Amino acid sequence: MAAPWRDVVRDAAAVRDAAAVAVDAALLAGVLMRTGEQPLSSDVVNYAPFTLLPSAVPRALFEQAYAVQQDFNLLVDAISQNKEFLEQTLASTIKVDDFTARLFRIYMQVLEEGLAQTVFLGINRSDYMFDCGLDGTAALKQIEINTIAASFGGLTSRTADVHGLVLKVLGKTKEASRLLPNNPSKGLALGIAKAWELYGSQSAVVMFLVEEIQRNIFDQRCVENELWNRSIRVIRRRFRDVFEKGSLDGSRRLYIDGQEVAVVYYREGYVPQTYDQQNWEARLLLERSRAVKCPDIATQLAGTKKVQQELSRPGTLEKLLPGRPEAVARVRATFAGLYSLDEGEEGDRIAATAIADPERFVLKPQREGGGNNLYGEELRQVLEKIKDSPERTSYILMDKIKPQPALNYLLRAHSPLQVSECISELGIFGVYVRQGQEMVLNEAAGHLLRTKAIQHADGGVAAGVAVLDTPYLV
Ligand code: ADP
Ligand code: MG
């Protein structure tokens, strides 16, 4: 891949000056996070980590990622409505994975009662890396699709200006003018606003379901403020608040502190640690309600790694997107090799292959949030241990994607300025709203580029590994 900043990246004095400008520009632009020490107060904040330089992204792959996003929106929505598919696909997983099993139980429970919800809002982010083939050409390969709490749509809308300024400081004015504007938070807010409107109660609020630890609050505020600007009221509550003060009326309208809730936007709820018995009860209450959940529990299940793996089986996409061969082809073109570890011959064979050649694969459990996957020697050891036990079915195997590294500087508060070999992950935000059976909105809402040093196999921005970036199309 092209290295557009080759001339400046090793110029220590220029880099030092540009980094100082960059940090202040990030603070001015609001690329902010609360600190680890004071995650519940905005008295002390810092800049969210970001790259000094925008990273090169092949234009064709960038456009390909945008072009397939509406297809992914349709696909996720179709899966969320397909009980048979979810049941079959997750059958082996829920026998061994307690978290997925509990989500699934709530899913079945709300289906049995009958859904009160009639408006559906999906906000997802499909993540990709650029796999470098033996001949040096790069291909767009999906890492995963996040169907719950996909973050950084807010902060990332502010990084392009920062990178533009840095390029100007480095004497690259022409290149600065080529950076694309990007504002996912506007698109996400548009989807939330549409769902709120279709819910049809002027006095109802949008509830952001947030974590106990709220370091990334500024990212969420970007979306919140867009809603306030449309005169839609926003409240922030935790699962604990819902347990203590949430209730349903006779037609399963959701109330909290006397306010009717039209939309529940989850920025929480995707890791097992969130849930004690009370929080599971709160989740059930929300799912049973008429409020628009973003996502509903079926859509959360549609985002599991196990579902991702099943989608890559021949014939599956055709069944889920009938009559849409072009969409199927666009989606399939982004798939890397994915393999089931279900009990049986197919699973035995791929487990043996991965044990023999672990560098080829990534071993993934049904978890979100970064830092859960296994690579290399660790992958080999774990697989060796569980290869003959049902436990292996809680994982999937995936081909490891190998992007071409590029040099950059990762700017982090309290960290030394040093050059790193880096790889990037591109995310495209998707938003859709469905009312009954009618899709009323289906869009790509913007992008996110995250970059990390190559010595880290895993992990996102929140996990402290990747940093925010801006694509520079080449
Ligand atoms: P999570 O739900 O924890 O975000 P991901 O599937 O996105 O799980 O994996 C976390 C990180 O691990 C990714 O951001 C990426 O850096 C790395 N990763 C995941 N899958 C692959 C893969 N197939 N090849 C190379 N790196 C991968
Ligand atoms: Mg991820």
Side-chain angles (χ1 to χ4, degrees), residues 144 305 364 368-370 373 375 398-399 401 425 452 458:
E144 63 158 346
K305 311 278 191 282
K364 297 191 174 189
E368 303 293 330
N373 301 334
Y375 305 80
M398 182 174 183
D399 282 344
I401 297 166
E425 185 169 343
K452 65 179 184 182
D458 209 297

Side-chain angles (χ1 to χ4, degrees), residues 123-341:
I123 292 180
N124 62 56
R125 201 189 66 224
S126 183
D127 290 337
Y128 308 89
M129 280 184 176
F130 315 113
D131 196 27
C132 186
L134 293 173
D135 61 352
T137 57
L140 185 77
K141 290 295 160 198
Q142 188 183 49
I143 295 289
E144 63 158 346
I145 189 159
N146 302 280
T147 60
I148 181 167
S151 58
F152 293 108
L155 296 189
T156 196
S157 56
R158 290 142 191 258
T159 58
D161 282 350
V162 176
H163 284 123
L165 190 67
V166 168
L167 289 183
K168 284 179 195 156
V169 168
L170 290 168
K172 305 213 170 275
T173 307
K174 194 169 95 253
E175 290 85 344
S177 70
R178 294 185 49 210
L179 295 178
L180 300 172
N182 178 38
N183 193 349
S185 51
K186 222 185 179 76
L188 307 195
L190 199 83
I192 296 172
K194 188 75 200 165
W196 175 85
E197 181 195 314
L198 292 173
Y199 179 88
S201 170
Q202 281 294 318
S203 59
V205 302
V206 171
M207 177 166 76
F208 279 44
L209 210 284
V210 298
E211 293 167 284
E212 298 284 338
I213 305 278
Q214 297 176 29
R215 277 197 74 185
N216 204 16
I217 190 168
F218 298 103
D219 183 54
Q220 299 162 5
R221 293 287 197 208
C222 293
V223 185
E224 283 178 46
N225 293 354
E226 293 279 352
L227 292 167
W228 283 109
N229 287 339
R230 292 164 179 270
S231 302
I232 297 173
R233 296 189 66 80
V234 180
I235 60 172
R236 298 171 61 86
R237 294 290 187 278
R238 304 158 308 157
F239 271 114
R240 188 57 88 240
D241 302 316
V242 175
F243 174 79
E244 285 169 2
K245 295 177 183 158
S247 63
L248 305 186
D249 74 2
S251 52
R252 285 193 265 160
R253 291 177 183 276
L254 173 66
Y255 287 87
I256 189 156
D257 296 317
Q259 302 171 93
E260 184 178 357
V261 178
V263 180
V264 180
Y265 174 42
Y266 289 100
R267 292 294 297 251
E268 161 74 317
Y270 52 91
V271 294
Q273 294 81 348
T274 299
Y275 294 98
D276 55 15
Q277 190 48 39
Q278 296 187 341
N279 288 359
W280 278 119
E281 282 177 36
R283 180 73 196 258
L284 177 62
L285 183 91
L286 296 174
E287 293 303 321
R288 291 185 57 232
S289 79
R290 176 177 295 268
V292 182
K293 274 77 66 183
C294 178
D296 67 350
I297 201 147
T299 305
Q300 181 174 358
L301 289 168
T304 53
K305 311 278 191 282
K306 183 63 190 173
V307 164
Q308 181 187 6
Q309 172 259 302
E310 280 298 312
L311 293 177
S312 74
R313 267 190 210 286
T316 304
L317 287 177
E318 284 80 355
K319 272 191 211 133
L320 290 164
L321 295 172
R324 294 179 187 269
E326 292 91 4
V328 166
R330 281 189 296 264
V331 166
R332 184 167 287 139
T334 68
F335 286 173
L338 289 147
Y339 313 93
S340 165
L341 284 167

Side-chain angles (χ1 to χ4, degrees), residues 339 350 353-354 357-362 379 397-400:
Y339 313 93
I350 197 68
T353 307
D357 192 4
E359 291 306 326
R360 248 187 71 196
F361 300 95
V362 181
L379 178 160
L397 274 168
M398 182 174 183
D399 282 344
K400 193 196 274 179

